[in-house]
Each structure stands twice: as structure tokens, then as C-alpha cells.
Amino acid sequence: MNSPVKHLPILNQPEFDDIMAELDAFEAAERSRLGLDEEPVQFWRDEMVDLTIKQTEVADTTLLIGGLPKLADILIQSALKPLGYSVMYLPEPDHESLRYGKEFGNRAQCNPTYYTVGNLVKFLCQLRDKGMTSEEIVRKFAFVSAGSCGPCRFGMYVTEYRKALRDAGFDGFRIMLFQEKGGISQDGDQPSEAGISFGPKFFMQLAKAVYAADIINGIGYRLRPYEVEEGAINRVLEETKRLCCEYLEAQRPILLALLKARSMFAKVELDRTQIKPKVGIAGEFWAQMTEGEGNYRVKQFLESEGAEVRIQFVSEWLLYNVWEEGRDLELRVGLRENDIGTARADHHVGTYSIAKRRVGLKVFDIGMRATFQMFAKAAGFNDYKTQDVDEGRLTAEEYYPSELRGGEGHMEVAHAIDNAVKKKANLTLSVKPFGCLPSSGVSDGVQSKVQEKFPGAIIAMVETSGDGATNFYSRVQLYLFKARELAEAEVAKALSETGLTMEEVRAYLKANPKLNDPLHLPPHRAACTAADVVYQVHDHMTSTPLSRARARTTKLAEDTKGAFSVVRKAAPTMWQGAKLLAEDLRLEALDQIERRTGFRRAESQARV
Amino acid sequence: MGTAQQSLVIGLDIGSTTVKAVVIDRSSYEILWSDYQRHHTKQPEKVLELLRAIGEKHDVIGCPIFVTGSGAGPLGEPLGAKFVQEVNAVSLAVERLHPDVRSIIELGGQDAKIIVYKEDQHGNKTANPSMNDKCASGTGATIDKCMVKVGAEPGFATSLHFSTHALHHVAAKCGVFAETDIVNLVKTGVPKDEVLNSLADAIVLQNLSVLTRGSTLKAKVILLGGPNKYLPFLQECWRLRIPETWRDRGYEPPAGIPLEELIFVPDNADLYAAFGAACYGISLGADDARYMGVDRLVDFMANGRRARLGDKAGPPLAANEAERLAFVDSYKIPKFAPPKLGPGDVVRGVIGLDGGSTSSKAVFVREDGEIIAKAYQLSKGNPIVDAQDLLTSIRDQVTAQGATIECIGMGATGYAADVLEEVALADVNIVETVAHMMSAVHFFGDVDVICDIGGQDIKVLFMKNGDIANFKLSNSCSAGNGMLLQAMADQFGIDVRDYAETAFGAALSPVFSYGCAVFLDTDRVNFQKEGFQKEELLAGLAHVLPKNVWQYVVQIPRLASLGRKFVLQGGTQYNLAAVKAQVDYIKERVPDAEVFVHPHTGEAGALGAAFETLRRFQRSNTTRFIGIEGVLALDYETRNDESTTCHFCPNECSRTFIDTKRPDGSVSRYISGFSCEKGTVESNEAMLEIVKLRKQTAAEFPNMLNYEARLAFQHFYEPEPLPASGTMIDDIEVREGLLRIDRRKIRRPFERSHRDLSRVRVGMPRILGMYSEAPFFRTYFEALGMPKQNVVFSDVTDEPMWLEGSRYGSVDPCFPAKAAQAHIHNLLFHKHDPAKGRALNFIYYPLLNYVPNFVTDTMDNVACPIVSGTPAVMKAAFTKEVDFFAQRSIEYIDAAASLEEPNYLMRNMYDTWGHRLGITRDESDFAVRQGLIALKAFNDEVQAKGRAILETVEAENGIAILVLARPYHSDPGMNHGIPEEFQVLGYPILSIRSIPKTREYLDRYFKDELETKKIGSPLEINHIWPENYQTNSTARVWAANFAAHHPNVAVLDLSSFKCGNDAPTYGLIDKILSTSRTPSAALHDIDANKPGGSIKIRVKTYAHSLRLHEERLDDVARRKLELELSIDRKRLELLEGKQRQLAAMHRRDERIDTALDAVRARIRSYEVAFKPEAPIADPSPKLVQIRRRSASDLVTA
């Protein structure tokens, strides 16, 4: 509240200046006597919000990055260097990071927050322990990360970063954010003197690194379980990582690096007749992506327990984000009035804004998928279909409304159903942090019904809290035991249906090395890869080169026919569309004429 | 290979408390040898013993060996065994021995498992397991501990039978909570059979409501594990509660089989996991798991274990002996040496008594402040007995020296204080926190932080200007405390007094994760398994203590910001290992800290009470205390039976009456064990009187949370009638092209369906987001023509409702979300009553994903994912096995509704209800508009009331308490009546909604920031928190900022356990409120069970702070008035001087005359209002009354 003492108005007149001066002095003395001269009440404002790196500071600042799978972080470091930034990726979060996160973060956070926030604080504290002053650290380093609009705690990570950094003594540490859904040009949101450009170049480099990391990780998890010589795949992976970094830093096409990797992968000897249950990893984004202690290294653990792991990709999560935007748009198209001022409706306002946005999102979506496939083809990650988020929506619709957002949204449930119905995995391991709002609070509740409706499927929901690894592993082993039984049953069924023995299959593979090519994936029939191999061998045995050629031709013809039928079915709509398009163009032309000639049509006068 | 090696298989189950072993025949599966023994945390030793015993009977060298259990991990390799996951082992055993079993319930030492078999269309069974490895609800260890607390003699529990006759509340969610409840029951004199039955019931219900994940436990049900096998009352409880769920869900168990066979305990129930492990081995036919004798195990025990520890271990407590000696030298608490008294001396002084939860302490302090005698004992449960014992000890210490006591008063604190105030007429009854503060300040003067670690809780007080500026208390969750150290010492058979010496002997220590005591014990088991020795475990645990205090309870990472003078007190400080860890922790973070240990650390609370009594006596020179002999002569009777049960509400609290007769013949009754004020009385008349008084207080000190919670679900807005068919309305026609969208204004007739909705009934849960949005939905249906009584909300959350409807959930989120199942159950089973013509046609639980926000600069306005997702979870829960809705011909609708987008909302609502009700789009749109008007009216009404409260407290220099919480914390079942506790103390309660949001009102409080353009509007918060996309979190932060700006608003911050949206704002809100020095108290982690004791101590301590704040406000107001008066007097003097000056010059200025008149008039009016000699206002709560609002919107008398 402001001072309650009011001066009399007449004191403003010059002849009373002496009175006024004396009164002021008296008031000051009285305030002091009465103990009323305390400092006025202070109000908190966060001075760490919106700190940026100025152009003049770029040369002396190291950008820290982290939070994605390790390989992605490493490749991003290389990818951003050619843009003139000094970049350093943070080491993989470990238990110490969790400890730092808990000490300096808020209580009751989820463990992705603790691990990632704690990881940054730990790194900075270690620098300080080595003798750098806090001021130096604040001046020389900044952190770059993605921001989000929720709805879960993910969007509030930055709040947590600021709190932890401040409490750990790094007041004023700069955190640079780009928005996960902000598009590829976010410079407009930045002050003019900003030294880091979140423009197309930045995001293109980021994308290259993320896609390459996804593909390399994908191949690694696909091949490693079946390697004959232990460690062979990891050696190639190391070499691939080195190559990719080199190409990215030299700004050479990364596809060339992937092509080189392809030939290395092709040389590794595999035995895909080993019966390994396939485990589809799903769940909360960070908990399932990370390969460190944040999920007790569950993927490595699964492999060590004899499973094949089917991972998900960072780029697929981006597809979900793009889909969210498109879906929100479609749900609101054609409202009588736009709900201006809300986060989802602002882009509906103009006459053409919806069309523009639709096209933009579609191009983005296609671009992302094409990039993935291009990288995948180059590296030999064959026959992988990126997830169709809208198809997932239909799959999960009965259980999980797609309007529910956060985490993986409906995709977690869709994965569980798909893995069961389409036999994509013997076990769906849905990994989530303890207390994860969308995943353990909602998805798990819904998945209990999915389990009930698909009683033969093994859908395991496991939470990670940072401690209690023993219990976690024990639970995973429990489900894996059941999954192994399923995998064995699949192989037994395949052998009995084909009348083959495993020895015969192995002998045939030896005689037909093409079928045993590491980069060649047997056609999908069962969840377990060994069962697919059996079927493939049998198909190959019972066919001739001619019949196989005929089969390929037939398939091609069917695909073409399918495509034609789609076109034929869509023709009336397309015709309708063409007419509407023509009508649109006509109206647009009239509008243009009006604007240029001042001529007014009756119908346009009533337009809103 | 011999025949034995071919035919025998060994199965070992190494659990957290026991080791079980079997030797079976691989062809017949017959158990040839078995044993079951407790390992007392010496797993390898016990395994060795059992294997040697096997070896004596069977030639098992070379036999396959399989191990299972939580302790099996590191022993597999030295045994040459293969590990089998325990649930797999158990389910394999059951599948082999009992193919007709559909459900398995196994209670182990530290975990519980439920396995439910689901069958697919081909009859293949899949086991669906669920384990409580995340939060330790009822398990064997909990039962064991409670058995000790109850004092059950051997054989008592194994012969006890279950009865529902008298069941008391026990929180089984967490083992530690259960223990606390059990201790309280024992203390209030509840017989042990009732206590154990209550515990069994709580464990069974907890498992049924959480661990089954909403699945029905179909028959046959097999009960396994030690507790299930040995405790008949537990078996009987399962046999009572499981069939209840069958009836609820319409499940018919196989006919003609007696219940004892449907839910049965097999012979060897404790051997199933070991047997299953062996079965697994047989099915595997593994050759790589061969038992080759005990040599490798012996070697592992001697060398292997220790070799692996170094990397993971933490430091010892002291780096070397010199450091230890130096520390002990400076921190050892000197032995208390009472002053020598001479025969015939009369010692005049006061008694201070601290009746703690685990121990009671008393001191006798002479008039001059010197401590004459101290007494200590473990609490026996009855505060009068405890007080009598302590006073006897004190008296005897004095009289033994030939001296006598002249007692001039008594002060009490702790849980016994209320009883002693009532029956012994103690002069002082102060809350523990204040008692501790007084004691510390007495000895150390200007202290910054006082950290008191008692048996069951941790209290940390932050001081400013000699008083408590803020405080943090544990015990909402069971973080480590004194009991934990004691329990650990007990487990190793070490006297707690030898704890420090043992722990100092460790050269390294395992790194425990801090926090929940139950998890710490799990860690302990794991560390032991890894080979850590007891001294190392004790050292490791001592290291946990400061982490639990500063990181888990206090949550202030920068210790230095609290100050540099720390006082440690509480009984735990006798343990120098704990002190060393604390001191090191503090000094590492505050290098110039001074850390003191209270010289009478165990009696700090009692001393505080004594000092306060002395102060009182010195001021008033009187005492009402009945005297030491009076207390010793108290005649009392304790009763806890059917006759003392409170029947004034459905909670049916089991109360304890303590009837006391004083030596002078006066009597009093003290009642304990109730959960609300109603429990304090015995007759209906007295209860009515209480209710009347309560209502009166409520009228005087309004509680906006209650008001809002009522209003939200009432019919308070009369919607306008639907326009007649053909009424011309304005509309917008939308033409969608392929690329463009055109809109044009049109006028057209309103379309009516003329549907009669008078018989349609819609039920909605009174839960979560509905506390904000219910007025919209009610009005929507009413505007369409549905009678108001047909819009039905479930009842207000209460314990009976929760207990009845809580067994359907498949997830364990925050309590507000979990309670949704009880509300849907309430609608299905109570509100839907076709027999009485009250059938529900729909249960509508809208998925509210976006909700409107009053803050203007938000990133987005989303609802919490749990809030918006719960309708889908409920749909799954109530349709997964049985479709409860279809059974009753009710349609369940969980369609999305975005309330922040009116146009989109119209589309949503028509899509949802158009075809279901047969209404036209025009009708639906009209109803939406009416609903939005109702929502605005709701907000306006609540804000008008809030404004009246704010203006009144401001005018009267009073305080209103703003509750920072989510809208659904207005639900009395969610807030546990905590706001009411403050209301009763005389503080009006404001909700966030009730703060006026108009610029006209708000700008005055944000004037400086608006003028300096730091903000553009008081409704902005980007300068505080830019990640503000979550409506209710944003509202909380904004409201905290408002409180910071309003001098008469204090804050009560409530938040639910597991609230992921509140958690990131804790630090932020703390920063906002501490910067502005706004009084605040926080109760985070609110859950299903109401921690009465914890709430009470917080309320009392906060009330103390609030009273001080009020005094300060009064004081400042008075001084400001004095300043104004003083300035005006000076002004008068100067003006008169000027006037005289002008007169001397023969001039006269009329303006001076006018000014003088005005100043004189003002001075006269001040003098009437301001009386400098008046004493400081009485700290007792003032009456704040809501006055009537005038037309000009100002509050008038």
C-alpha cells in the first residue's frame, strides 16, 4: 500500500515552501521514531525469465544440450557446430543427477524432471568444484532445450530449471528455449539482438541429427540380439556414430555417412533363428526413450535377458505433435465464429488460414516421413513403417479419446492394441515415471480395460522412480517370462505348420545367404522374429524363382490396383473438390476485382 | 550322475524376512523336504543352514537348484542356481497344484501380490499380476510391527477371529501411517482384538481397492504367504470382503462349494514360491543350474560380498579417529547435574510436561529458571498415567534430598496437553512448535533455525525477530525420524544408546535413498543382501537423516538463506552419529554456520512449556493447577466401547472417554478419538448446541470454500425460456470451400424440437472439474427443459462413500481423481433408483480439457491431464469386466467439452446431446449460452462475497485466509475440513474464485508496478511465471501474487499427494510469499486418510503466527495513525507560526485560515479515535462481520 499521509493542497504554493520542507523533515524523523521507515514490501518477479545470448556473447558461450537419447545428443552437438556455435552435450543422466534434481528441485516431481534438471545442475556444480566461479559459469555457458505447452509437467521443466539453478547458486544462468510445436522459424519470438537463431538452418541441422540417431538406434536394436559374435554390432555402431559426427561437422551430406554404415552393418553375421521374445517399448516419452539410469537401462536389461527390443523414435513423437495440431484444426473447422484469443483457434481466423495451415502441416508431415524413409533406406533400416497417428486414434478410440493430450496421448493405448492384434510384439512394456500424469494416471487406467479385452496379450505397465531397481527388474523379468513362452509357442506353431525343424531352417539359411542378410527382414507374420524366419524359409523352399517373381509382380499389380481403386473411389469427391476449388478461385478472382475496381457485389456486402 | 541328481530338484525362496526351501521329486512333484525360517536379515547364513540340513537328509549335490524371492539376486551365482521371478514361481506352483484357481493373493514380508487369471476365447489363461512395490501398503512387516505395538502375546493373533463388531480407522495405504494409527488406537485404550481386526480389515480393503486394479477376484481364490497362512482373522476378513465385491459386480461363484473352499489357504501356503521355483526348473530342464555344495556360498559370505561394496558406498561418518574424538568432545551433551538441595529447602517452581507420541518428558524449573529435576518415560498410552508417573519421579527426586516442592504452576505441550488442561487444570497448553521455540530462544537467544527431531516427526522452525517466521513439519508422509534410527538399531539388537559408537566404527556406508521410511527399509534389506554390515548400515542411515530433514521436509536447498545459527534439539540428538551427519551437512552448505545442540535436548518441549508457565505466573501471580499431589490423587476411568462411539455422523468415530475425579470432588470428562467437533459431546442437545455455535461462527467468519462448493451444484440461476418456434434470430452462415471459408450474417427463424425432457434424468459426479463448471452443465440441461431435480449430482465425498465405492480403480493417482470411482458408484447404486421412479438415463462425465482462465497472459488454458482423463478411466473401470451402465440401461457419456471456446463448445454439446435428446441445434446453442451466463453469475456472486470479506478485513485490520488450492479442494471430503479449523479460530476463508478480478478493485494493490509499467494489468503473471498453460496452476500462482500484494491476506496452501501440476509451483509460491513476507502455511500431500494430529499441530502453530501478524498489523495501523496526528500537529504549529508571521506584517491569508480550520478539525477527530494509552489489542480473534453492501458497492456498517 502507498503512503497514507496526504499533504494539504495549499502546500504546493511557493510561499509555503519553507513549511513544506520542514514538514517533510519532520515526517521523516517521525517515521523513523515510530519504526515506520522500514523498506517497502518487495514483490517477487523472476529475473531469469527470457534471458538470451546476445550476438556479442556467442563466441564466448558454450551451449549445453541434453535430454534426448545419448546418440541424438551427440549428433546434435556435431550438427550445431557448423552454425558457429560452441556446443557441448551433457553426459547421460545418472543417479547423481537424480540426487541433484531432488535436492534443488521441487518436491513431488516426476523423475524425468529430476534427472534432466539435476543433470544440468550436477554438471555446473562439478565445474564449480573444479574451480570455476559461479559468475564465470553463468557467463560462459547456456542451456538450449525444447519447451512445450503442457498439459503435463513437461511444459514446466523450465520453471524447474530456473528454480534449481537459482537455488544451486547459478542466478542468471541463461536457458534458451525453442517450442516443440513452434515450427521451423522461431526467430520472431526472440529479441532482435539475440545471438542464437532459431531459424530454418538451426532446425534442419537438428532434424538431421535426430533422424540419423533414430535410424542408427533402430538398426542397433534390430540386429544386436541376433549377432553371432558378441559386440560386433556395437563396434559398427561406434564407427557409424564417428562417421556421422564427422560428416555433420564438415557439413557433408549425412546420407553418405549412413550409406557407409549400411555396408558395415551388412557384413555382420546374424543368427535370427534364436528364439527371442520381441518387446515393444511404449509409454511416457522420456522414460521410454532414455537409455540411462532414468529407466534403469531397461532396454539393455531386456537384451541381456534375451529379448529383442522394438524401440520408438524421437521423430515419431514429433509426428504425434504435428498430428495434434492438425487434429485440433480439423475439429474446429467451419465454426460459425472463431473463438479468438484461445491457443487453438487463432489460426482459424482468416478466410484462407485453415487451408494454409492444412497444407503446411501436411507438407511437414510428409516431409518428416520422407526424411525418415530416406535416412532408413540409406542406412539399411528396411521395412519400417512410421506410425500413423490418425490410424492410432481410430484403434484407441473406444478406450482413449484422442482429445486427451499429454505424453504420448492415445498412442500408448494404440501401441498396446496394435502389438497384440497385429502381432508386432510378444510383450508391450509400457514404461512411465512414477506418478506420470497422462501415462500412469490415465493411460494405465484405460489399459486395464485393454488387458481385459485382449486377454492373450501381455501388456505390462512399469513405473520408474529412480530407486527400487530390484523391484523394477523383477517385474520386467516376470512379464518377460510369459513373453518368452509366447515366443516359443509362436516358433513351435510355425515349425509345426511348415513341418520344418530348426536345424533344417538353419541349413537352408546357410545355403541361401541372401535370406540371412542382416539388412533383410523376413516378412512379418508373427511377433517373434525366429517364427518369421521359419515361415520365410518355408515360403522360399516351396517356391521357384519364377513363382517368386510372379508373386512380386502380383503384389505390385495389387498395390497399383489398390492405388487405382483409391483414386476411383475418391474421384467423385475429388470432382466435387475440383468444383469447390473452382468456386473458391472464382470468388477469389471476384474479390481481387472488387479490390482493384471498387465494384461491390451484393453477396460480398453481407460477408462477415 | 546318481539317481538323486536325476530325480531331485531344490527350490529356495529367499524373501525379505524368511527363507523357505523345498526338495521335490521331479517326476511326482512330491515335496520330500521343506523348511520355513525367519532369517533376521541374515539371508546367506540362513540359506547355508537350510542347505546343510537338506544335505543331511538327501544327496543333492549335482541337483538342479532354483531360487526366487526379493533376496535371491546375489545368492544365485554362489549357489550355482538360476533365478526365477517370484510371481512366476508362485503362479507356476498354483497352476500345477490348483488348476481351478482364478485368483492368487500373496502377502509377503515387504510386498503383496495379487494375480488374476484372464481367459481368452480359446480358454487359454493369462496371469495378470499386480504388486505393491511402489508404496508399501499392508504387508507382513506392517502386521509384525503392529503386533508388537499392540502387545499381542504369542498365540493371541493365531487364535483371534475376525469380527466387524468394532472396527476403527486404520490407514493401510502406507505401513508407517498404519503404524501411527495403531499406536493411537492403543493409546486410546482400544482392545487389541479390535485393533488387529481393524488392521486386517484395512489391509484387505486396501488390497481390494488398489492392488486388484479394479479386477474382480473370481473364485477359486487362493491365499498364500505367511500372514495369510498363520492369521485366521485375516483369512476370515478376506472371506467376508471378497464375496461383497462379487455381489456388487454380479459375479456368481461356482455353485455348491462352501466359502472355505472358494477362498482357501492350502497346506504349505508359505512354500509355494519355493515349490514354484523348483517347478520352473523342471519345466526348463536347465542343465546350467546345478547345486555343487555350499563351499562357494561360504566363500561368498566371507569374501565375495565385501569385495563389491567399495564402488557404491558413501563415506564414513568421520574420516578418522581424531575427527571423531574432536567432534564427540565438542558435541557430547553434558550429563545433567541437578543442583544440590538441602534438607528443609522449599523449592518454588513450575512443572513443564511434554506428552509426546512415543515418549513423555517432564521438568521442574525453579522460579529463577534453574532446572531442578527432569523425568522421562516411554508413553504408555494414557496421558494421565504418564503424567502421574512423571510427577512422581520429579517429586521423589526433590524429596529424596529432604527438600519439598512448592508448585506454582504447570504447563503442558504435546498430545497430552489437552487432557492435562482439562483434568489437571494446567495453566499453559501450548503447541509443541511454540514450546520448542521458547526453549531454544531461552538458551541461545537470537537463533535462526531450530530443528527438532522427535520420535515420529521432524519440526523445523525458522526464526525472525525472536519469533517463528515460518515452520515446516514432517509426518504427512513418513520421512525418516528418530523412530527410524531406533527401529534400525532394534533390528540389529543394538541399544539405541550404542548407535553412535557402532556407526562411528564403519569405514564406509551404503547410500540410502532418502524419503519414505518404508523404502528406506527396502533399501536396508537390499544393502544387507549386498553384504553391508550393521555398523555400515547404521552409518548410512545416519547420513539419511539430514537429507530427510533439509531436502524432504524443509525443501529449502540454499540453507544459507535461512541464517547461520542452528539449534538441534529433540531426543534424536542424543545420538551423536545423527548429530555428526547433521552438523556436517549444514556446515558443508553454510560454512560459517554455528550449530548448537540443545543442552536438554530431549526435554526442550517440556522446558518451553515450563518457561511459558513461569512467564504467565510472573505476570498474573496466580495458578489454577491442582498441584502435584492433586494430579497423583486423580481418580479416573477410561472407557472405549459401543457406548462411547459417536453416532452424530456416518463416520461413527470410536471415542475414548476419560472420566476424572479430582481430589476436591470436581469431575471432568475428556473425550478423545473423534475426528470433528461433534465428537466432543455426548448428548443430542449438546451436539445441537455445538452445531448452532458452529453455524453462528460460520456466519460471522464466512468460508468461501464451503459457499462455493454448495453454490456450484445448486439451482441458483433461472434460465430464460427457450425462444418460441419461428422467433427470428441472428445467425452466421458458414460456407466451406476447399481453400476458403466464408461467413455471412443472416436472420432466420429459431428451430424448436418441442421435445419433452421432463422425464429425462442426467447424473453427474460431484468431483474434480465439476467444482468449477457444474453451473454450466446444470443450466444447460435446465434451459432445455429438464426439471432441476432431474439434474442429479452425486453426494459430497465422505469416508463411507469412499469406502463403499473405492474398489473399482485400476490406477493410483491423486485422491481427488481416485474418488471419482466412488462418485460414479454413488450415481449407479444410490442415485439411480428405478423402483422409486428415479432412474438415470445418462451418466454424464464430460472430459474437460480446456477451462477458462481469468489470467490474461497465459500460454494456454488446459486442464490437468488427470482431471480431463478421469472420465475415460472411469469408463474403463466400470465397463471392463461388467458393464455396470448397460446393466442399468444407463448411457455413460465422457465426451469432450472445451469451456474456454464458446463456439466450439456449442458444436461439442450439440454433437453430444443433439441426437440423444432429440433437440435442435438452435436449442442446444441457446442452452450453451444460458449455461455460460450461469457460469458468469456463479463467478460474480462468489466474487461479490469475497470482495465484502476483503474490504471488511482491510477496514478492521483483520486477516482473511486465502486458500491456495484447486477448485475441487472446496470439497470437504478433499480438504479434510482444514479451512474450517481456521474459520472456527475466527478467520474468514477466501477461495481463489472469490477474489474480485476487476481492474477497478485490483489496480490499487498493484499501483506501483502499473505506474512503472512493470506490468500492464494486475491479471498478468508472465513476469513471475511464463510456463502458465495450466489453468488452475496459473490461478494458484496468481492468487499467491495477489496475497503478496494485499496486506490483510494470509495464505493456506493445500495440495494433494501426487499432484503433478502443483509440484512445480511449490517453490514459486514460496518465493512469492516469502519475498512479500506474507504469512503462509502449506499442507501438501493431502490424501485419502486424514492425518488429524498433523493437521492439528499445523493449525495451532499457524494460528500462533497469524495472531502475531495481526498484532503487527494493528500496531502498524496505530503507528500510522499516530504519524498522521503528529504531522498534523506539526502542520498546525507551522501554520500558526506562519499566521503569526503574516499578522506581524499586517497581512492575512485566507487560505491559511481555511487550512488551519481543516487541520484543527482533523486533529480533533484523530484524538477521538486515537488513544495512545490504550493497550495493544487483545490477541484473541476478533469478530469480522460481513456487512451489507450498498448500491455504491461499498461495504457499510
Side-chain angles (χ1 to χ4, degrees), chain A residues 297-506:
Chain A
R297 304 187 187 280
V298 68
K299 288 176 247 182
Q300 291 96 312
F301 177 73
L302 284 166
E303 284 192 353
S304 71
E305 290 286 304
E308 178 189 343
V309 183
R310 187 177 198 276
I311 58 164
Q312 282 184 45
F313 300 110
V314 180
S315 49
E316 291 190 310
W317 189 63
L318 297 175
L319 283 175
Y320 174 74
N321 284 306
V322 174
W323 172 88
E324 276 184 313
E325 292 289 292
R327 177 74 184 159
D328 280 340
L329 184 80
E330 294 307 328
L331 284 171
R332 289 162 178 79
V333 167
L335 291 176
R336 277 178 292 189
E337 283 179 283
N338 292 308
D339 294 300
I340 297 168
T342 67
R344 276 149 303 285
D346 281 356
H347 40 250
H348 297 172
V349 179
T351 312
Y352 291 101
S353 20
I354 287 185
K356 272 200 288 192
R357 201 162 166 84
R358 261 186 194 148
V359 171
L361 287 168
K362 195 71 199 164
V363 166
F364 207 62
D365 182 84
I366 292 172
M368 287 166 78
R369 287 174 197 281
T371 311
F372 186 96
Q373 291 305 344
M374 193 163 59
F375 279 48
K377 282 273 176 269
F381 186 57
N382 297 321
D383 300 315
Y384 183 87
K385 183 174 174 279
T386 43
Q387 68 181 17
D388 184 332
V389 186
D390 208 53
E391 197 178 294
R393 173 179 70 84
L394 298 171
T395 309
E397 201 169 33
E398 192 190 332
Y399 306 92
Y400 196 101
S402 63
E403 284 94 338
L404 279 178
R405 302 293 165 77
E408 294 270 285
H410 62 266
M411 287 311 288
E412 192 178 332
V413 172
H415 285 310
I417 297 176
D418 257 4
N419 284 344
V421 175
K422 297 182 182 166
K423 293 187 181 168
K424 284 188 175 171
N426 299 108
L427 159 67
T428 304
L429 193 70
S430 186
V431 188
K432 62 239 16 226
F434 177 59
C436 172
L437 303 176
S439 193
S440 70
V442 183
S443 277
D444 282 1
V446 170
Q447 284 183 117
S448 77
K449 184 173 173 181
V450 176
Q451 283 177 321
E452 192 72 33
K453 299 295 166 195
F454 299 91
I458 311 174
I459 302 164
M461 285 89 83
V462 280
E463 287 191 328
T464 62
S465 62
D467 29 48
T470 314
N471 284 336
F472 180 86
Y473 287 140
S474 169
R475 285 174 74 85
V476 173
Q477 279 170 331
L478 152 72
Y479 296 110
L480 202 55
F481 171 74
K482 304 277 174 197
R484 189 174 295 115
E485 284 185 335
L486 277 188
E488 281 164 1
E490 276 187 338
V491 175
K493 187 172 166 230
L495 291 172
S496 101
E497 280 176 8
T498 56
L500 293 169
T501 64
M502 213 35 130
E503 285 67 36
E504 288 169 334
V505 173
R506 288 196 190 106

Side-chain angles (χ1 to χ4, degrees), chain B residues 560-734:
Chain B
S561 67
L562 300 174
R564 42 174 299 280
K565 198 165 174 183
F566 291 69
V567 174
L568 309 177
Q569 56 191 41
T572 308
Q573 312 304 347
Y574 284 119
N575 182 339
L576 281 181
V579 177
K580 177 79 167 66
Q582 275 274 34
V583 172
D584 288 352
Y585 185 95
I586 295 170
K587 290 209 164 162
E588 191 183 317
R589 286 152 180 85
V590 192
D592 63 338
E594 288 182 89
V595 188
F596 301 99
V597 174
H598 194 293
H600 304 279
T601 185
E603 298 83 15
L607 280 170
F611 296 139
E612 175 62 8
T613 314
L614 264 183
R615 194 185 68 85
R616 282 269 174 105
F617 182 79
Q618 280 154 4
R619 272 184 58 181
S620 65
N621 223 14
T622 57
T623 175
R624 54 179 218 130
F625 177 48
I626 60 172
I628 294 180
E629 296 307 322
V631 174
L632 298 184
L634 278 176
D635 188 14
Y636 68 90
E637 188 192 359
T638 303
R639 215 150 32 96
N640 178 299
D641 53 29
E642 182 56 35
S643 71
T644 63
T645 301
C646 174
H647 299 294
F648 295 127
C649 86
N651 282 354
E652 299 265 319
C653 288
S654 161
R655 302 177 296 178
T656 302
F657 286 6
I658 302 176
D659 288 314
T660 326
K661 193 172 173 192
R662 300 189 192 96
D664 65 0
S666 59
V667 293
S668 76
R669 166 170 288 177
Y670 177 76
I671 304 178
S672 69
F674 49 84
S675 58
C676 72
E677 263 193 0
K678 290 174 190 166
T680 57
V681 296
E682 301 150 58
S683 67
N684 258 325
E685 293 71 31
M687 200 274 287
L688 287 175
E689 186 59 28
I690 286 261
V691 171
K692 198 173 135 197
L693 278 173
R694 195 138 189 145
K695 276 190 174 163
Q696 204 179 324
T697 320
E700 284 163 0
F701 308 104
N703 181 336
M704 291 311 297
L705 256 71
N706 280 353
Y707 181 68
E708 193 178 310
R710 262 198 329 273
L711 190 68
F713 299 96
Q714 267 172 10
H715 166 86
F716 70 91
Y717 171 79
E718 198 59 59
E720 289 171 29
L722 280 165
S725 189
T727 309
M728 291 306 285
I729 55 165
D730 291 321
D731 194 13
I732 291 165
E733 187 183 70
V734 182

Side-chain angles (χ1 to χ4, degrees), chain B residues 351 353 360-363 373-397 410 420 628 631-634 636:
Chain B
I351 300 281
L353 193 145
S360 294
K361 288 82 64 174
V363 290
K374 302 204 289 194
Y376 166 94
Q377 72 171 39
L378 287 174
S379 300
K380 291 179 178 166
N382 186 322
I384 298 176
V385 177
D386 289 341
Q388 286 179 331
D389 289 355
L390 289 168
L391 293 190
T392 307
S393 163
I394 294 268
R395 183 194 60 186
D396 293 351
Q397 287 176 45
M410 179 194 191
L420 294 175
I628 294 180
V631 174
L632 298 184
L634 278 176
Y636 68 90

Side-chain angles (χ1 to χ4, degrees), chain B residues 94-158:
Chain B
V94 172
E95 282 161 31
R96 162 144 297 277
L97 299 172
H98 313 277
D100 53 351
V101 158
R102 301 281 303 273
S103 318
I104 304 171
I105 302 169
E106 193 199 12
L107 288 190
Q110 287 202 327
D111 58 11
K113 309 171 196 82
I114 285 186
I115 304 166
V116 178
Y117 285 96
K118 309 270 177 196
E119 222 169 290
D120 67 11
Q121 62 273 34
H122 311 297
N124 298 323
K125 286 203 295 186
T126 315
N128 252 322
S130 120
M131 296 160 78
N132 71 339
D133 53 4
K134 292 185 294 277
C135 226
S137 47
T139 58
T142 307
I143 297 174
D144 270 3
K145 281 185 190 162
C146 292
M147 217 77 98
V148 176
K149 304 268 174 203
V150 170
E153 64 274 18
F156 178 80
T158 48

